[in-house]
Amino acid sequence: MKLILKYIENNYMNKITIEDMAEEVGLSQSHFMKYFKNTMGTSFIDYLNDYRLTMASRLLISSDSSILDIASEVGFDNLSYFNRSFKKKYAQTPSAYRKRSS
């Protein structure tokens, strides 16, 4: 699990597929997904997106980059999906989060 979490930490900004991760740790995709869910209590994709949103929240506070640039920088290639996901996690839009935090 440490290997998986370290990989996410170092590569979250890139496209990461379940296939990539399963190959990285030498498991089939189905075994990898089951192992991850049983160990972490959440799916790999949900964990990865949550990690990306956490990194985005830090960037919203610490940088002047546009929301589009931040979304892209943390690995989201769809701005509306990023906004929806961010709002679901933080109960506010990225711009409201940035304003409130400054």
Side-chain angles (χ1 to χ4, degrees):
M1 188 49 71
K2 281 183 182 176
L3 180 68
I4 295 166
L5 298 178
K6 195 69 175 165
Y7 187 91
I8 291 169
E9 191 180 307
N10 293 330
N11 296 285
Y12 69 91
M13 68 292 293
N14 304 319
K15 182 179 165 107
I16 303 174
T17 65
I18 289 169
E19 185 180 3
D20 294 336
M21 287 308 307
E23 199 173 295
E24 186 75 23
V25 295
L27 296 171
S28 70
Q29 290 181 47
S30 60
H31 278 95
F32 169 75
M33 290 187 300
K34 189 173 187 176
Y35 171 72
F36 195 93
K37 178 98 176 187
N38 288 341
T39 307
M40 299 299 288
T42 188
S43 75
F44 172 73
I45 297 299
D46 287 346
Y47 181 88
L48 177 60
N49 283 338
D50 189 68
Y51 189 88
R52 287 172 167 164
L53 290 169
T54 299
M55 299 313 285
S57 71
R58 293 178 185 172
L59 286 170
L60 285 165
I61 295 168
S62 66
S63 97
D64 292 331
S65 299
S66 72
I67 291 168
L68 176 62
D69 287 345
I70 288 172
S72 180
E73 196 175 320
V74 300
F76 285 92
D77 53 4
N78 182 313
L79 183 61
S80 63
Y81 179 66
F82 169 73
N83 285 328
R84 271 195 318 278
S85 300
F86 193 94
K87 192 169 183 179
K88 186 176 179 184
K89 179 175 179 171
Y90 293 101
Q92 56 190 330
T93 63
S95 56
Y97 183 89
R98 176 179 261 171
K99 281 180 192 149
R100 183 180 265 185
S101 300
S102 60

